Amino acid sequence: MTGTPLQRVRKQLGYSADGVVRLLRQRADVRGVPVMTAASLKTKLSRWENGHEQVSEPYQRLFREIYGRTNDELGFPADEEDDDAAELRARLEMARTVDADTVAVFRRQIDDARRLDRKFGGVTLLDQLRGTIDQVESLLGYNTIGGKREQLAGALTEASTLAGWEALDRNAISQAWQHYERAKAAAREAMSPALLAHAMAEQAFILVDIGEAASAVEQVEHARQAAENAAPPLLRAWLAAAAGECLSAAGQRGDALRAFDAADTLLPPEPIDAELPFLFLGGSHLDRWRGNALGKLGEPEAIDQLTDVLPRVPEAFVRARTGLLVDLAYAFAASGDRDAALDHARQARRLASRIKSDRQLRRLDGLILPGSSAA
């Protein structure tokens, strides 16, 4: 595809120029940033996309937020860094100020981002998270104290896995992969088999999305082996469910259903672990995951499973509800019920558009309704 990176990303996401102008102005209103008029902005967008002008601030930040892409992916210049001795000494001095309170602040930021992400998606958070990642990574890179390095590395792992999940939801596949690669490296620095296993298993969902289900199965199995002796019960249950998800995508029905049975058996009575604040498997979550797998396998009971789960999804989990509605649309389409498939697809599209879940919108674009010429 020809054109500037900025233009290629817009076309990849399927956004019209008018739609981008509208999104830019909406984000600017939310941030309280003054921007040019819609007509002027549309003219400027054409010049930016054709390489006639460089994008300046605040527009670089607005583009990062509405597209969910980095400066590099959008063709914006990287920030220059001074790497002389004075700069190095300053960075080392800054890193020496890191204490337990500093790490706690970063963890609160990540946890707050996690809660906002569930409800509002990554449209407002991905660029913010990248800023937190840069801060933590910089402090880690210049920190020479063993214990603090491990704590910073743990925070970096959590921030990177969350950023990877958000990037995947924005359909920024390559960016998501790199976030997970950083997460795995940071987990090794933190010497945490649990964090490493979680990052490896989540990264496998990217492989599923790009049609590499067999590789995804292998990666999750490796994650389960790596964490087998050190994983708490909740993580072992989550890894079993992740394996079931990948196995269902690979069409391995028996192994997939056995993996979900194992997850149900392993799930502790109180499925909450303060050391694993990023895992949600109790209540409706494991049932929702199983329903998704049943749909992938083409099982008729997927409809009953997903329909039963829908009213039990917590209100705050908007992204989860969106994915479940997409799953139901596919399940009803497979059963031949055009009206039900269309109804759930419309509900899903409204939510996906609201939180800018490009991943779910892409899935909806691939839905074939019964009675259509494609069907």
Side-chain angles (χ1 to χ4, degrees), residues 205-227:
F205 300 145
I206 302 177
L207 295 170
V208 170
D209 269 24
I210 65 172
E212 296 283 342
S215 296
V217 171
E218 292 177 357
Q219 180 147 326
V220 174
E221 183 57 33
H222 186 59
R224 295 177 77 183
Q225 292 173 3

Side-chain angles (χ1 to χ4, degrees), residues 60 66 96-97 106 122 128 147 166 174 192 264 324 336:
Q60 286 188 12
I66 68 169
R96 278 193 284 270
T97 67
F106 283 128
Q128 175 185 321
E166 287 190 350
S174 296
S192 172
D264 193 51
L324 195 155

Side-chain angles (χ1 to χ4, degrees), residues 8 45 105 107 131 135 141 164 167 194 226 241-242 262 274 286 289 296 301 374:
R8 289 198 295 270
L45 177 63
V105 168
R107 289 196 176 279
Q135 283 183 292
L286 181 56
W289 213 347
K296 282 187 171 70
E301 61 263 37

Side-chain angles (χ1 to χ4, degrees), residues 75-155:
F76 300 158
D79 295 330
E80 294 183 2
E81 292 187 6
D82 185 3
D83 60 354
D84 60 13
E87 176 70 12
L88 176 57
R89 282 194 294 271
R91 289 178 180 271
L92 289 170
E93 180 62 29
M94 178 64 73
R96 278 193 284 270
T97 67
V98 173
D99 56 15
D101 287 341
T102 306
V103 177
V105 168
F106 283 128
R107 289 196 176 279
R108 283 197 297 272
Q109 290 178 355
I110 296 165
D111 197 48
D112 288 343
R114 189 178 290 121
R115 286 196 294 270
L116 290 171
D117 170 68
R118 292 196 298 267
K119 190 167 186 177
F120 300 110
V123 67
T124 61
L125 294 174
L126 185 52
D127 194 56
Q128 175 185 321
L129 256 182
R130 284 196 292 258
T132 300
I133 287 169
D134 288 345
Q135 283 183 292
V136 178
E137 194 168 30
S138 177
L139 291 171
L140 176 62
Y142 293 96
N143 193 295
T144 59
I145 304 173
K148 297 299 186 297
R149 285 188 64 87
E150 292 175 15
Q151 294 174 28
L152 284 170

Side-chain angles (χ1 to χ4, degrees), residues 22-71:
R22 185 170 60 255
L23 288 171
L24 287 170
R25 289 176 59 80
Q26 286 173 351
R27 289 303 308 149
D29 285 343
V30 171
R31 290 203 166 276
V33 176
V35 292
M36 62 188 76
T37 65
S40 298
L41 193 51
K42 185 173 182 180
T43 301
K44 192 68 74 171
L45 177 63
S46 176
R47 294 186 62 79
W48 287 334
E49 288 193 340
N50 288 297
H52 297 317
E53 287 186 31
Q54 293 293 323
V55 182
S56 60
E57 290 292 1
Y59 299 101
Q60 286 188 12
R61 180 174 188 175
L62 295 176
F63 273 118
R64 289 195 302 266
E65 292 188 355
I66 68 169
Y67 286 163
R69 302 299 192 266
T70 62
N71 277 346

Side-chain angles (χ1 to χ4, degrees), residues 292-334:
N292 173 274
L294 290 171
K296 282 187 171 70
L297 292 167
E299 298 292 319
E301 61 263 37
I303 292 176
D304 290 338
Q305 175 84 11
L306 293 167
T307 302
D308 175 72
V309 173
L310 184 58
R312 295 192 284 119
V313 175
E315 184 178 349
F317 286 75
V318 176
R319 175 181 290 158
R321 177 178 294 275
T322 304
L324 195 155
L325 287 167
V326 177
D327 291 339
L328 272 168
Y330 269 85
F332 277 116

Side-chain angles (χ1 to χ4, degrees), residues 11 14 49 61 72 102 118 189 241 257 259 264 266 273 283-284 302 349 368:
K11 291 183 176 180
E49 288 193 340
R61 180 174 188 175
D72 184 59
T102 306
R118 292 196 298 267
E189 178 79 29
L257 297 181
D264 193 51
L266 291 166
D273 190 328
S284 64
R349 189 172 294 278
I368 300 174

